[in-house]
Amino acid sequence: MKKILLFFVFLFSFSWSDTISITNEGTSLPKIVLKDSSSLNDRDLKHNFYNILLNDLRVSSNFEVLSSGDEKGNYSFEYFLVKSGTKLDLRVIIRANGVQKSDKSYSITSLEEYPFLAHRAVKDSVRTLGLAPIEWMDHKILIARNSSNKKSQIIMADYTLTYQKVMVGGGLNLFPKWANKEQNAFYYTAYDHNVPTLYLYDLKTNKASRIISSTGMLVASDVSKDGSKLVLTMAPNDQPDIYVYDVKKKVLQRITDYSGIDVNGNFVEDEKKIVFVSDRLSYPNIFIQTIGSNNAEQLVFHGKNNSSVSTYKNYLVYSSREPEQRGVFNLYLMSTQSDYVRQLTANGKNIFPRFSNDGGSIVYIKYLGEQTALGVIRVNANKSFHFPLKVGRIQSIDW
């Protein structure tokens, strides 16, 4: 328990939102008309589904969205939603300059999952029109949410947090991490007789199985592309270090051996190296080390408190505390191949970033006073969106 708390100290010390920050306001986007042609008696569902689609089209950052009364758009998104018990059927017709481009149908049998129905339809429509892809939009997000003192739940949600389902509850459950790209299983840390234990939760069977335990602390911070290896932070002898664990062979390889704190390891550069957070400079900063080597090199030369990191190919996004700005943490993007650093957020407390599967978007934890929100950054569009969590507080996330 003390090591888990130490990790949080190290990390943080050294419904819908109208909060939209746009930095490329001069860009002219093509117009799209959103038209609801449904005959639906459920007024709440009708209203909520329209708003989800409206939000998705905006977040895609490909369009200026118009109401159905304005027919002067470059594109039109017309849909028909039918409800039968808990089943939803959706038909979407996409037109470009009046010419029909696609006519697709979708269905789900779980009414509560309707946000994913909307997300999938918008994702497919964007692909049909040949615009900047948003393949991440219907991916599920894992969130560790505190439920009470020394208790936290693992919930599964869509990116707007409209859909939320508790997957693991009771006790202290932290640091969820998807086990594969199919998103049919995830890892998380729980306490088994006061010993940090890594579990694998299988969504197909709804059962959790023990993977490995360690006194001190145990966190799975990254998974290899093929799902065969995990990057772990472990502290069996009161010294948090980075390890790589082979899931099939059940073999543990120690990567760092430092007398201080090494946490939050992530694969980078074709999984030949690992980026991690360390206090080797007497403050949290980002280092890189080749697997099989004992030499860790400083990677980030910006900021004095760089406390969390995520990677995609040769890119990394990290949170950094701003000097002389109490409590302000911003996100920065850089490549392991250059010294260029790009600032992604401008104010407030923004931590725990995670790349999307295509690297084009980033989710993170945004503090809004006493409330936490899921932030989404559309990297190439220079836009950010916030979706507040109304019950509990977000502790960690994975996408």
Side-chain angles (χ1 to χ4, degrees):
M1 180 59 143
K2 290 182 179 179
K3 288 300 176 185
I4 291 288
L5 294 176
L6 173 63
F7 178 81
F8 277 116
V9 170
F10 184 72
L11 183 64
F12 301 137
S13 66
F14 304 92
S15 180
W16 300 61
S17 172
D18 293 326
T19 305
I20 300 178
S21 173
I22 303 176
T23 58
N24 61 342
E25 296 176 359
T27 302
S28 178
L29 295 173
K31 296 177 174 61
I32 188 168
V33 177
L34 177 60
K35 184 178 181 180
D36 180 4
S37 296
S38 308
S39 298
L40 196 64
N41 293 326
D42 189 331
R43 291 177 178 252
D44 288 339
L45 177 60
K46 183 179 179 71
H47 174 76
N48 292 338
F49 196 82
Y50 179 88
N51 282 339
I52 285 274
L53 288 172
L54 183 69
N55 175 82
D56 284 353
L57 291 169
R58 288 173 174 167
V59 172
S60 79
S61 304
N62 285 301
F63 312 101
E64 176 187 344
V65 188
L66 305 178
S67 65
S68 58
D70 189 340
E71 300 297 336
K72 297 179 181 179
N74 306 92
Y75 307 112
S76 70
F77 184 112
E78 183 179 8
Y79 69 96
F80 307 80
L81 185 65
V82 178
K83 176 185 175 185
S84 178
T86 61
K87 182 183 179 184
L88 285 179
D89 291 297
L90 175 68
R91 179 187 176 194
V92 176
I93 299 175
I94 299 298
R95 297 181 179 88
N97 298 317
V99 178
Q100 182 171 310
K101 291 294 184 180
S102 68
D103 185 342
K104 292 186 178 181
S105 296
Y106 309 84
S107 66
I108 56 171
T109 56
S110 174
L111 184 61
E112 63 182 3
E113 294 187 5
Y114 76 88
F116 292 107
L117 188 67
H119 301 333
R120 182 152 48 106
V122 172
K123 179 191 73 173
D124 289 351
S125 300
V126 166
R127 189 193 306 122
T128 295
L129 294 173
L131 301 174
I134 49 171
E135 299 304 299
W136 54 268
M137 187 164 278
D138 63 345
H139 281 215
K140 295 180 174 68
I141 290 179
L142 293 171
I143 296 175
R145 175 183 67 185
N146 70 317
S147 52
S148 62
N149 185 33
K150 295 184 180 180
K151 289 187 178 182
S152 60
Q153 302 168 326
I154 305 297
I155 67 172
M156 188 165 60
D158 75 312
Y159 82 95
T160 70
L161 304 187
T162 304
Y163 169 83
Q164 295 182 29
K165 183 178 181 179
V166 177
M167 306 306 300
V168 181
L172 190 60
N173 306 288
L174 300 165
F175 310 115
K177 185 68 184 177
W178 286 113
N180 50 44
K181 61 183 179 180
E182 292 80 15
Q183 294 193 326
N184 57 30
F186 64 86
Y187 297 98
Y188 68 98
T189 299
Y191 274 80
D192 190 351
H193 302 291
N194 293 322
V195 177
T197 303
L198 186 69
Y199 286 91
L200 175 67
Y201 189 97
D202 189 331
L203 291 171
K204 293 177 290 186
T205 62
N206 290 319
K207 293 183 179 179
S209 56
R210 178 188 172 279
I211 301 300
I212 189 173
S213 297
S214 173
T215 56
M217 71 177 296
L218 176 57
V219 178
S221 53
D222 203 7
V223 180
S224 63
K225 290 180 181 179
D226 64 2
S228 66
K229 295 181 179 179
L230 308 177
V231 181
L232 305 177
T233 298
M234 298 176 64
N237 299 307
D238 293 330
Q239 176 183 317
D241 274 304
I242 306 298
Y243 295 77
V244 170
Y245 181 72
D246 190 308
V247 178
K248 294 181 180 179
K249 297 179 180 179
K250 298 183 178 180
V251 174
L252 195 63
Q253 179 185 5
R254 187 170 186 166
I255 304 301
T256 66
D257 188 358
Y258 168 60
S259 59
I261 299 174
D262 291 339
V263 296
N264 198 194
N266 286 259
F267 286 115
V268 73
E269 296 188 4
D270 295 323
E271 301 178 2
K272 297 176 182 178
K273 299 181 181 180
I274 291 180
V275 166
F276 59 96
V277 178
S278 177
D279 69 344
R280 293 162 193 255
L281 301 176
S282 299
Y283 60 85
N285 200 17
I286 314 299
F287 287 78
I288 187 170
Q289 184 168 322
T290 300
I291 296 177
S293 168
N294 295 321
N295 298 320
E297 301 177 12
Q298 182 179 351
L299 185 59
V300 175
F301 293 87
H302 156 269
K304 290 292 185 180
N305 190 325
N306 306 318
S307 56
S308 59
V309 64
S310 177
T311 57
Y312 171 76
K313 293 185 177 180
N314 298 331
Y315 293 93
L316 61 144
V317 56
Y318 62 93
S319 63
S320 179
R321 188 174 68 186
E322 301 295 347
E324 301 179 0
Q325 297 183 55
R326 185 177 178 83
V328 175
F329 283 77
N330 280 317
L331 301 182
Y332 291 83
L333 177 70
M334 66 173 289
S335 167
T336 60
Q337 308 298 314
S338 72
D339 296 328
Y340 174 74
V341 177
R342 174 182 167 187
Q343 185 171 343
L344 298 176
T345 59
N347 52 62
K349 188 174 181 180
N350 310 281
I351 58 173
F352 220 89
R354 288 290 180 266
F355 275 106
S356 62
N357 63 317
D358 61 2
S361 301
I362 294 167
V363 293
Y364 61 101
I365 301 174
K366 173 76 174 181
Y367 277 73
L368 303 172
E370 295 300 315
Q371 190 178 40
T372 54
L374 186 75
V376 178
I377 296 174
R378 300 287 287 118
V379 177
N380 294 329
N382 293 328
K383 293 185 179 182
S384 62
F385 306 82
H386 307 141
F387 302 92
L389 181 70
K390 296 180 180 179
V391 178
R393 299 181 74 175
I394 303 173
Q395 294 176 331
S396 58
I397 55 177
D398 194 43
W399 194 358

